[in-house]
Amino acid sequence: MPLSPTFIQKSFGDLPGWDADDHLAAFAAFKRSALHAPTKPYRTGSLGITFDAFAEAYGEARSVSPANRLEARSFFERCFVPALVTADGGGAGLVTGFYEPEAEASPVKTERFAVPLLSRPADLIDIDDKNRPAGMDPYLAFARDTPAGPIEYFDRGAIERGALSDRRLEIAWLADKVDAFFIHVQGAARLKMTDGRLCRVTYAAKSGQRFTGPGKILSELGEIPLAKVTMQSIRAWFETHPDRVDEILWRNRSYIFFREAPVEDTTLGPIAAAKVPLTPGRSVAVDRLLHTFGTPFYIDAPTLTAFDRKPFRRLMIAQDTGSAITGPARGDLFAGSGAAAGEIAGVVRNAADFYALVPRGLVDRRGA
Protein backbone atom coordinates (compact mmCIF):
# COMPACT_ATOMS: atom_id res chain seq x y z
CA MET A 1 0.00 0.00 0.00
CA PRO A 2 1.68 3.27 -1.10
CA LEU A 3 1.58 6.37 1.03
CA SER A 4 -1.07 8.83 -0.05
CA PRO A 5 -0.02 12.11 -1.70
CA THR A 6 -1.99 13.63 1.18
CA PHE A 7 1.35 13.46 3.06
CA ILE A 8 4.04 16.00 2.13
CA GLN A 9 7.40 15.12 3.68
CA LYS A 10 8.93 17.75 5.95
CA SER A 11 11.80 18.00 8.45
CA PHE A 12 11.44 18.42 12.20
CA GLY A 13 12.85 21.91 11.75
CA ASP A 14 9.73 22.77 9.74
CA LEU A 15 7.44 22.10 12.72
CA PRO A 16 6.68 25.36 14.57
CA GLY A 17 7.55 25.05 18.25
CA TRP A 18 8.74 21.44 17.96
CA ASP A 19 11.78 21.91 20.19
CA ALA A 20 9.72 23.52 22.98
CA ASP A 21 7.12 20.75 23.31
CA ASP A 22 7.00 18.23 26.16
CA HIS A 23 7.89 15.10 24.19
CA LEU A 24 8.08 13.08 27.40
CA ALA A 25 4.33 13.52 27.95
CA ALA A 26 3.67 12.47 24.36
CA PHE A 27 5.95 9.44 24.78
CA ALA A 28 3.93 8.25 27.79
CA ALA A 29 0.78 8.27 25.67
CA PHE A 30 2.55 6.59 22.75
CA LYS A 31 3.88 3.86 25.04
CA ARG A 32 0.33 2.93 26.06
CA SER A 33 -0.42 2.13 22.43
CA ALA A 34 2.89 0.29 22.12
CA LEU A 35 2.01 -1.91 25.09
CA HIS A 36 -1.42 -2.67 23.63
CA ALA A 37 -0.15 -3.38 20.10
CA PRO A 38 0.91 -7.03 20.65
CA THR A 39 -2.58 -7.84 21.98
CA LYS A 40 -4.57 -6.77 18.96
CA PRO A 41 -3.19 -4.97 15.89
CA TYR A 42 -4.72 -1.68 14.90
CA ARG A 43 -6.52 -1.41 11.59
CA THR A 44 -4.42 0.24 8.89
CA GLY A 45 -5.86 3.53 7.63
CA SER A 46 -6.47 3.99 3.92
CA LEU A 47 -3.83 6.73 3.61
CA GLY A 48 -1.12 4.10 3.80
CA ILE A 49 0.58 4.37 7.20
CA THR A 50 0.49 0.64 7.90
CA PHE A 51 0.22 -0.81 11.38
CA ASP A 52 3.19 -3.12 10.87
CA ALA A 53 5.39 -0.11 10.06
CA PHE A 54 5.23 0.82 13.77
CA ALA A 55 6.84 -2.46 14.89
CA GLU A 56 10.31 -1.03 15.45
CA ALA A 57 9.10 2.12 17.25
CA TYR A 58 6.65 0.13 19.37
CA GLY A 59 9.32 -2.38 20.29
CA GLU A 60 11.70 0.34 21.41
CA ALA A 61 8.97 2.21 23.30
CA ARG A 62 8.12 -0.94 25.27
CA SER A 63 11.71 -1.40 26.35
CA VAL A 64 12.87 2.14 27.16
CA SER A 65 11.85 4.89 29.56
CA PRO A 66 13.28 8.27 28.53
CA ALA A 67 14.65 10.20 31.48
CA ASN A 68 13.71 13.63 30.16
CA ARG A 69 12.12 15.57 27.32
CA LEU A 70 15.29 15.60 25.26
CA GLU A 71 15.57 11.80 25.28
CA ALA A 72 11.90 11.48 24.36
CA ARG A 73 12.32 13.97 21.51
CA SER A 74 15.31 11.99 20.27
CA PHE A 75 13.14 8.85 20.19
CA PHE A 76 10.53 10.45 17.94
CA GLU A 77 13.13 12.05 15.67
CA ARG A 78 14.99 8.74 15.33
CA CYS A 79 11.92 6.62 14.61
CA PHE A 80 9.75 8.95 12.51
CA VAL A 81 9.70 11.44 9.66
CA PRO A 82 7.17 14.31 9.78
CA ALA A 83 4.76 14.85 6.90
CA LEU A 84 2.28 17.68 6.48
CA VAL A 85 -1.25 16.34 6.12
CA THR A 86 -3.10 18.26 3.42
CA ALA A 87 -6.70 19.05 4.23
CA ASP A 88 -9.60 18.26 1.92
CA GLY A 89 -9.98 21.22 -0.40
CA GLY A 90 -6.66 22.71 0.64
CA GLY A 91 -6.13 25.21 3.43
CA ALA A 92 -5.80 24.40 7.11
CA GLY A 93 -7.28 21.52 9.04
CA LEU A 94 -9.61 21.79 12.01
CA VAL A 95 -9.43 20.81 15.68
CA THR A 96 -12.27 20.60 18.18
CA GLY A 97 -12.20 19.35 21.76
CA PHE A 98 -13.80 16.63 23.84
CA TYR A 99 -13.64 15.59 27.47
CA GLU A 100 -14.98 13.16 30.04
CA PRO A 101 -17.84 14.76 31.99
CA GLU A 102 -18.29 14.17 35.70
CA ALA A 103 -21.77 13.99 37.16
CA GLU A 104 -23.54 12.99 40.35
CA ALA A 105 -25.67 9.90 39.84
CA SER A 106 -27.82 7.43 41.71
CA PRO A 107 -27.85 3.63 41.35
CA VAL A 108 -31.66 3.74 41.66
CA LYS A 109 -34.35 6.02 40.31
CA THR A 110 -35.51 8.72 42.72
CA GLU A 111 -37.57 11.86 42.47
CA ARG A 112 -34.40 13.87 41.83
CA PHE A 113 -32.46 11.30 39.79
CA ALA A 114 -34.84 10.26 37.02
CA VAL A 115 -32.80 10.40 33.77
CA PRO A 116 -31.26 7.01 32.94
CA LEU A 117 -28.04 5.99 31.23
CA LEU A 118 -28.78 2.70 29.50
CA SER A 119 -26.75 -0.41 28.72
CA ARG A 120 -26.88 -2.09 25.31
CA PRO A 121 -30.23 -3.80 24.62
CA ALA A 122 -30.22 -7.47 23.70
CA ASP A 123 -32.09 -6.82 20.44
CA LEU A 124 -29.56 -4.25 19.18
CA ILE A 125 -27.38 -5.97 16.57
CA ASP A 126 -24.46 -4.87 14.44
CA ILE A 127 -25.41 -4.43 10.81
CA ASP A 128 -23.27 -4.30 7.69
CA ASP A 129 -23.51 -5.14 4.00
CA LYS A 130 -23.66 -8.85 4.81
CA ASN A 131 -26.89 -8.70 6.83
CA ARG A 132 -28.43 -5.34 5.85
CA PRO A 133 -31.91 -5.78 4.35
CA ALA A 134 -32.62 -4.25 0.96
CA GLY A 135 -33.76 -0.67 1.33
CA MET A 136 -32.19 -0.08 4.76
CA ASP A 137 -30.14 3.11 5.01
CA PRO A 138 -26.52 2.08 4.23
CA TYR A 139 -25.32 4.48 6.94
CA LEU A 140 -26.81 2.34 9.69
CA ALA A 141 -24.28 0.19 11.56
CA PHE A 142 -26.82 -1.01 14.14
CA ALA A 143 -30.36 -2.36 13.82
CA ARG A 144 -33.17 -3.96 15.82
CA ASP A 145 -33.43 -7.73 15.56
CA THR A 146 -37.02 -8.85 14.97
CA PRO A 147 -38.62 -12.15 13.86
CA ALA A 148 -39.20 -10.52 10.47
CA GLY A 149 -35.55 -9.50 10.18
CA PRO A 150 -33.44 -6.42 11.07
CA ILE A 151 -35.15 -3.03 11.10
CA GLU A 152 -34.01 0.45 12.11
CA TYR A 153 -33.61 0.79 15.87
CA PHE A 154 -35.65 3.09 18.09
CA ASP A 155 -34.33 6.64 17.91
CA ARG A 156 -33.67 9.11 20.75
CA GLY A 157 -37.20 10.43 20.91
CA ALA A 158 -38.75 6.97 21.05
CA ILE A 159 -36.30 5.76 23.70
CA GLU A 160 -36.75 8.81 25.91
CA ARG A 161 -40.53 8.42 25.60
CA GLY A 162 -40.21 4.89 27.03
CA ALA A 163 -39.57 2.41 24.20
CA LEU A 164 -37.04 0.53 26.37
CA SER A 165 -38.42 1.30 29.82
CA ASP A 166 -39.29 -2.31 30.64
CA ARG A 167 -35.86 -3.81 29.81
CA ARG A 168 -33.98 -3.10 33.08
CA LEU A 169 -31.12 -1.51 31.16
CA GLU A 170 -30.49 1.35 33.57
CA ILE A 171 -26.86 1.62 34.69
CA ALA A 172 -27.35 4.83 36.67
CA TRP A 173 -29.77 7.73 37.00
CA LEU A 174 -28.89 11.41 36.52
CA ALA A 175 -30.69 14.53 37.67
CA ASP A 176 -30.53 16.50 34.44
CA LYS A 177 -31.47 15.58 30.88
CA VAL A 178 -28.99 18.04 29.36
CA ASP A 179 -26.15 16.58 31.43
CA ALA A 180 -27.12 13.13 30.16
CA PHE A 181 -27.17 14.37 26.58
CA PHE A 182 -23.66 15.79 26.78
CA ILE A 183 -22.47 12.50 28.29
CA HIS A 184 -23.89 10.89 25.15
CA VAL A 185 -22.00 13.38 23.00
CA GLN A 186 -18.71 12.70 24.79
CA GLY A 187 -19.26 8.94 24.91
CA ALA A 188 -18.06 8.51 28.50
CA ALA A 189 -18.38 9.94 32.00
CA ARG A 190 -17.18 9.62 35.56
CA LEU A 191 -20.10 9.18 37.91
CA LYS A 192 -19.99 10.17 41.57
CA MET A 193 -22.61 7.80 42.91
CA THR A 194 -24.84 8.74 45.83
CA ASP A 195 -23.67 5.57 47.60
CA GLY A 196 -20.08 6.88 47.66
CA ARG A 197 -18.67 4.98 44.70
CA LEU A 198 -16.76 6.53 41.79
CA CYS A 199 -17.47 4.67 38.58
CA ARG A 200 -17.18 5.24 34.86
CA VAL A 201 -19.48 4.61 31.94
CA THR A 202 -18.06 4.29 28.44
CA TYR A 203 -19.53 3.82 24.98
CA ALA A 204 -20.96 0.38 24.22
CA ALA A 205 -23.11 0.93 21.12
CA LYS A 206 -25.57 3.37 19.56
CA SER A 207 -28.98 3.27 17.98
CA GLY A 208 -27.31 3.98 14.67
CA GLN A 209 -28.99 7.07 13.26
CA ARG A 210 -26.99 10.09 12.17
CA PHE A 211 -25.82 12.54 14.82
CA THR A 212 -27.31 16.03 14.56
CA GLY A 213 -25.73 18.48 16.96
CA PRO A 214 -27.93 20.90 18.91
CA GLY A 215 -25.58 23.73 17.99
CA LYS A 216 -26.33 23.26 14.33
CA ILE A 217 -30.06 23.06 15.01
CA LEU A 218 -30.10 26.20 17.16
CA SER A 219 -28.05 28.07 14.57
CA GLU A 220 -30.43 27.08 11.77
CA LEU A 221 -33.37 28.20 13.92
CA GLY A 222 -31.71 31.58 14.44
CA GLU A 223 -31.38 31.04 18.19
CA ILE A 224 -27.55 31.18 18.39
CA PRO A 225 -25.26 32.63 15.70
CA LEU A 226 -23.09 29.88 14.25
CA ALA A 227 -19.90 31.70 15.21
CA LYS A 228 -21.01 31.72 18.85
CA VAL A 229 -22.00 28.07 19.12
CA THR A 230 -20.09 26.42 21.97
CA MET A 231 -21.03 23.85 24.56
CA GLN A 232 -21.39 26.70 27.01
CA SER A 233 -23.73 28.73 24.79
CA ILE A 234 -25.85 25.65 24.07
CA ARG A 235 -26.18 24.88 27.78
CA ALA A 236 -27.10 28.50 28.50
CA TRP A 237 -29.85 28.37 25.85
CA PHE A 238 -31.29 25.18 27.35
CA GLU A 239 -31.31 26.75 30.82
CA THR A 240 -33.40 29.66 29.56
CA HIS A 241 -35.67 27.45 27.40
CA PRO A 242 -36.39 24.35 29.54
CA ASP A 243 -39.69 23.81 27.76
CA ARG A 244 -37.88 23.28 24.42
CA VAL A 245 -35.17 20.82 25.52
CA ASP A 246 -36.95 17.74 24.14
CA GLU A 247 -37.85 19.56 20.94
CA ILE A 248 -34.18 20.22 20.19
CA LEU A 249 -32.61 17.06 21.56
CA TRP A 250 -35.02 14.71 19.84
CA ARG A 251 -34.01 16.16 16.49
CA ASN A 252 -30.74 14.35 17.12
CA ARG A 253 -32.03 10.82 16.53
CA SER A 254 -28.80 9.08 17.56
CA TYR A 255 -28.83 7.51 21.04
CA ILE A 256 -25.81 6.11 22.91
CA PHE A 257 -25.69 2.99 25.10
CA PHE A 258 -23.01 2.50 27.75
CA ARG A 259 -21.16 -0.09 29.78
CA GLU A 260 -19.63 0.23 33.22
CA ALA A 261 -15.86 0.44 33.60
CA PRO A 262 -13.54 0.97 36.57
CA VAL A 263 -11.64 4.19 37.26
CA GLU A 264 -8.19 2.67 37.71
CA ASP A 265 -6.16 5.88 37.32
CA THR A 266 -7.87 9.19 38.03
CA THR A 267 -5.23 11.08 36.01
CA LEU A 268 -6.24 9.32 32.79
CA GLY A 269 -9.42 9.30 30.76
CA PRO A 270 -11.55 6.36 29.65
CA ILE A 271 -10.35 3.52 27.47
CA ALA A 272 -11.34 4.64 23.99
CA ALA A 273 -11.43 3.21 20.47
CA ALA A 274 -7.70 2.40 20.43
CA LYS A 275 -8.22 0.31 23.60
CA VAL A 276 -5.92 2.40 25.79
CA PRO A 277 -6.76 5.08 28.37
CA LEU A 278 -6.85 8.57 26.93
CA THR A 279 -4.17 11.00 28.09
CA PRO A 280 -5.37 14.57 28.77
CA GLY A 281 -3.77 16.98 26.34
CA ARG A 282 -1.97 14.21 24.45
CA SER A 283 -4.65 11.95 22.93
CA VAL A 284 -6.46 12.96 19.75
CA ALA A 285 -9.43 11.44 17.95
CA VAL A 286 -8.99 11.09 14.19
CA ASP A 287 -10.77 9.60 11.20
CA ARG A 288 -9.99 5.92 11.70
CA LEU A 289 -10.86 5.06 8.11
CA LEU A 290 -7.99 7.26 6.94
CA HIS A 291 -5.48 7.09 9.77
CA THR A 292 -3.97 4.28 11.86
CA PHE A 293 -4.37 4.40 15.64
CA GLY A 294 -1.08 5.00 17.41
CA THR A 295 0.13 7.49 14.80
CA PRO A 296 1.75 10.54 16.40
CA PHE A 297 0.47 13.87 15.06
CA TYR A 298 2.17 17.18 15.72
CA ILE A 299 -0.64 19.73 15.71
CA ASP A 300 -0.02 23.43 15.22
CA ALA A 301 -3.08 25.52 16.11
CA PRO A 302 -1.70 29.01 16.85
CA THR A 303 -5.12 30.57 17.59
CA LEU A 304 -5.95 27.90 20.19
CA THR A 305 -4.87 29.05 23.65
CA ALA A 306 -7.51 27.39 25.85
CA PHE A 307 -5.23 24.57 27.03
CA ASP A 308 -2.41 26.60 28.60
CA ARG A 309 -2.86 30.22 27.46
CA LYS A 310 -0.29 29.92 24.70
CA PRO A 311 -0.53 28.77 21.08
CA PHE A 312 -1.31 25.06 20.89
CA ARG A 313 1.70 23.24 19.42
CA ARG A 314 1.80 19.68 20.70
CA LEU A 315 2.65 16.14 19.76
CA MET A 316 -0.53 14.09 20.10
CA ILE A 317 -1.22 10.38 19.69
CA ALA A 318 -4.17 9.08 17.65
CA GLN A 319 -6.12 7.01 20.17
CA ASP A 320 -9.80 7.62 19.49
CA THR A 321 -12.29 8.40 16.74
CA GLY A 322 -15.79 9.84 16.36
CA SER A 323 -18.59 10.02 13.83
CA ALA A 324 -18.08 13.76 13.38
CA ILE A 325 -14.31 13.42 12.88
CA THR A 326 -13.94 13.01 9.14
CA GLY A 327 -11.16 14.02 6.80
CA PRO A 328 -7.36 13.75 6.85
CA ALA A 329 -6.63 17.00 8.72
CA ARG A 330 -9.35 16.78 11.34
CA GLY A 331 -8.86 16.05 15.02
CA ASP A 332 -10.69 16.11 18.34
CA LEU A 333 -8.37 16.93 21.25
CA PHE A 334 -8.96 15.16 24.58
CA ALA A 335 -8.92 17.83 27.30
CA GLY A 336 -9.31 15.57 30.33
CA SER A 337 -12.05 14.86 32.88
CA GLY A 338 -14.37 17.10 34.85
CA ALA A 339 -15.75 20.61 34.64
CA ALA A 340 -12.44 22.39 34.03
CA ALA A 341 -11.69 20.11 31.09
CA GLY A 342 -15.21 20.75 29.80
CA GLU A 343 -14.59 24.50 29.86
CA ILE A 344 -11.58 23.94 27.62
CA ALA A 345 -13.13 21.40 25.27
CA GLY A 346 -16.33 23.38 24.84
CA VAL A 347 -14.64 26.33 23.14
CA VAL A 348 -12.16 24.53 20.90
CA ARG A 349 -12.85 25.03 17.22
CA ASN A 350 -9.67 26.24 15.57
CA ALA A 351 -7.75 26.03 12.34
CA ALA A 352 -4.73 23.76 12.62
CA ASP A 353 -1.91 22.24 10.63
CA PHE A 354 -1.42 18.50 11.10
CA TYR A 355 1.93 16.80 10.73
CA ALA A 356 1.79 13.01 10.81
CA LEU A 357 4.90 11.30 12.13
CA VAL A 358 5.42 8.54 9.59
CA PRO A 359 7.51 5.52 10.67
CA ARG A 360 10.98 6.07 9.22
CA GLY A 361 11.20 2.57 7.79
CA LEU A 362 8.04 3.16 5.78
CA VAL A 363 9.45 6.38 4.33
CA ASP A 364 12.74 4.71 3.47
CA ARG A 365 10.94 1.91 1.63
CA ARG A 366 8.31 3.91 -0.23
CA GLY A 367 8.97 7.62 0.05
CA ALA A 368 6.54 10.16 1.51
Side-chain angles (χ1 to χ4, degrees):
M1 176 187 290
L3 276 174
S4 167
T6 297
F7 299 117
I8 302 173
Q9 185 172 335
K10 298 290 183 178
S11 70
F12 283 101
D14 295 324
L15 278 53
W18 170 257
D19 292 352
D21 191 24
D22 182 0
H23 303 86
L24 192 60
F27 180 86
F30 181 79
K31 186 166 186 170
R32 292 186 184 97
S33 282
L35 291 170
H36 169 78
T39 305
K40 187 175 181 181
Y42 292 135
R43 167 183 178 173
T44 291
S46 64
L47 294 182
I49 298 182
T50 57
F51 170 77
D52 60 8
F54 288 95
E56 184 175 345
Y58 279 162
E60 182 174 341
R62 287 193 293 268
S63 63
V64 302
S65 296
N68 51 50
R69 296 182 182 188
L70 185 60
E71 289 185 10
R73 182 179 120 194
S74 177
F75 165 82
F76 287 111
E77 292 179 350
R78 185 170 60 255
C79 294
F80 297 95
V81 174
L84 177 67
V85 183
T86 55
D88 287 339
L94 174 69
V95 289
T96 49
F98 73 112
Y99 76 112
E100 182 185 38
E102 288 184 346
E104 190 178 4
S106 170
V108 296
K109 185 177 182 179
T110 69
E111 183 176 353
R112 178 186 173 198
F113 295 98
V115 182
L117 297 177
L118 302 182
S119 59
R120 180 172 179 159
D123 62 348
L124 180 69
I125 61 172
D126 294 359
I127 201 85
D128 57 27
D129 291 340
K130 296 177 182 178
N131 61 346
R132 179 179 289 108
M136 178 176 279
D137 185 347
Y139 175 86
L140 296 176
F142 296 91
R144 181 156 62 103
D145 192 22
T146 74
I151 61 174
E152 182 176 328
Y153 208 77
F154 302 114
D155 67 3
R156 174 173 297 276
I159 293 170
E160 294 193 351
R161 287 190 294 267
L164 302 177
S165 60
D166 60 346
R167 307 282 188 93
R168 297 185 178 181
L169 301 173
E170 297 84 2
I171 297 174
W173 299 84
L174 303 182
D176 184 80
K177 179 173 288 190
V178 174
D179 284 345
F181 177 80
F182 279 104
I183 288 172
H184 281 226
V185 171
Q186 303 301 325
R190 290 185 191 181
L191 302 180
K192 297 178 180 179
M193 305 298 288
T194 55
D195 60 10
R197 291 180 296 127
L198 177 65
C199 70
R200 169 176 278 144
V201 291
T202 63
Y203 171 91
K206 57 184 178 181
S207 60
Q209 296 89 356
R210 289 170 175 80
F211 174 83
T212 306
K216 178 181 179 181
I217 296 168
L218 292 171
S219 174
E220 291 175 347
L221 293 174
E223 297 290 340
I224 304 176
L226 183 59
K228 295 186 178 181
V229 170
T230 64
M231 183 180 68
Q232 290 86 340
S233 67
I234 294 169
R235 280 186 173 276
W237 190 92
F238 283 138
E239 286 178 6
T240 57
H241 300 83
D243 58 318
R244 298 185 65 186
V245 170
D246 287 343
E247 170 200 339
I248 302 302
L249 295 188
W250 289 352
R251 289 179 63 171
N252 171 45
R253 300 184 65 220
S254 177
Y255 189 91
I256 304 299
F257 300 101
F258 297 93
R259 61 179 178 84
E260 286 192 72
V263 182
E264 296 177 345
D265 185 338
T266 57
T267 68
L268 297 176
I271 294 175
K275 306 306 180 186
V276 297
L278 297 176
T279 303
R282 292 293 167 177
S283 294
V284 60
V286 297
D287 187 335
R288 72 178 304 175
L289 297 180
L290 302 179
H291 296 298
T292 304
F293 285 152
T295 301
F297 285 90
Y298 188 72
I299 298 176
D300 176 26
T303 64
L304 172 56
T305 59
F307 276 78
D308 53 12
R309 299 184 181 180
K310 60 184 180 181
F312 188 94
R313 293 185 168 109
R314 291 192 187 185
L315 184 59
M316 310 287 287
I317 312 301
Q319 294 176 322
D320 202 3
T321 192
S323 58
I325 312 303
T326 58
R330 177 73 175 90
D332 209 16
L333 311 174
F334 180 62
S337 304
E343 288 299 308
I344 294 171
V347 299
V348 178
R349 188 175 183 84
N350 299 78
D353 287 330
F354 287 69
Y355 297 88
L357 268 57
V358 182
R360 191 170 290 276
L362 188 62
V363 175
D364 292 342
R365 292 197 304 269
R366 303 177 181 175

